[in-house]
Structures are given as C-alpha cells and as structure tokens.
C-alpha cells in the first residue's frame, strides 16, 4: 500500500507523487484490484472538500490507468475531510496549511480479499 500527497487546493499529482506511485507499481502483482481513496484538509466547505478529494482520487486513477492498470481494477472513493491524519489549530495561514499537509492525500491499497 502507498499514498501520495497533494498541494493545497490542488488535485494534480506532483513529481514526488508520480515517483511514489511508480515505485509502488513496480512491486504490485499483476491482476490485483486497487482501492484509491481521496482525502482533503479541513479548509473549505465540506461539499467542496468531498469533490476535491474525489478529483484527487480520480487523478491517481488516471495515472494508474496510464501505466497499464485496467480502469475496472481501480475503485475510487472520496472521504473529503472526514478522516484527518493530523489536527492543527488556526486559520488558513501558511503554517497551518503546512501542518495539515498530511491530510491532503490519496491512499492506494491493493485489494487482497475476494468479493
């Protein structure tokens, strides 16, 4: 399993994100289904963050498809701001945005079970 992070209010993969996905793909057995789950930080309306987390997950899905994964083997989910990894106090300052960076992510997990 792996994850990739995104810049504030962005859904485009970074160079580091693409490199992490490439490294992960190099170890992924062929034919597995993967679960791609997008997340956002707490800034912005909940509905917007849900849509942003979906766009992030879809960005990863497109990248994986471009690397040869079948689209039907990639399941996309969006969690918005509902599952933060870190909690940071304060308004949308550069410091608080940096603190919340771990929440701006897509988690990618290979499905090991059936059904």
């Amino acid at each position: 399993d792996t994850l990739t992070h995104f810049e504030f209010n962005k859904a485009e993969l970074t160079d580091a994100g693409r490199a992490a996905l490439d490294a992960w793909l190099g170890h992924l057995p062929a034919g597995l289904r993967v679960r791609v789950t997008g997340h956002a930080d707490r800034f912005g309306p909940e509905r917007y963050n849900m849509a942003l987390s979906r766009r992030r997950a879809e960005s990863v899905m497109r990248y994986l498809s471009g690397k040869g994964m079948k689209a039907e083997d990639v399941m996309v989910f969006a969690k918005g701001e509902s599952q933060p990894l870190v909690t940071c106090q304060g308004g949308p300052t550069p410091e608080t945005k940096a603190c919340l960076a771990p929440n701006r992510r897509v988690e990618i997990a290979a499905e090991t079970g059936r059904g």
Side-chain angles (χ1 to χ4, degrees), residues 5-9 41-43 85-105:
H5 290 95
F6 289 80
E7 294 179 15
F8 181 76
N9 202 29
D41 66 27
R42 65 178 168 81
F43 292 122
L85 294 178
V86 298
T87 302
C88 309
Q89 299 301 313
T93 65
E95 295 79 15
T96 307
K97 289 177 185 177
C99 179
L100 292 170
N103 296 339
R104 297 186 298 270
R105 70 197 188 281

Side-chain angles (χ1 to χ4, degrees), residues 18 22 41 52 57 76 110 113-114:
R18 286 188 290 275
D22 288 343
D41 66 27
L52 178 59
V76 173
R114 294 184 182 197

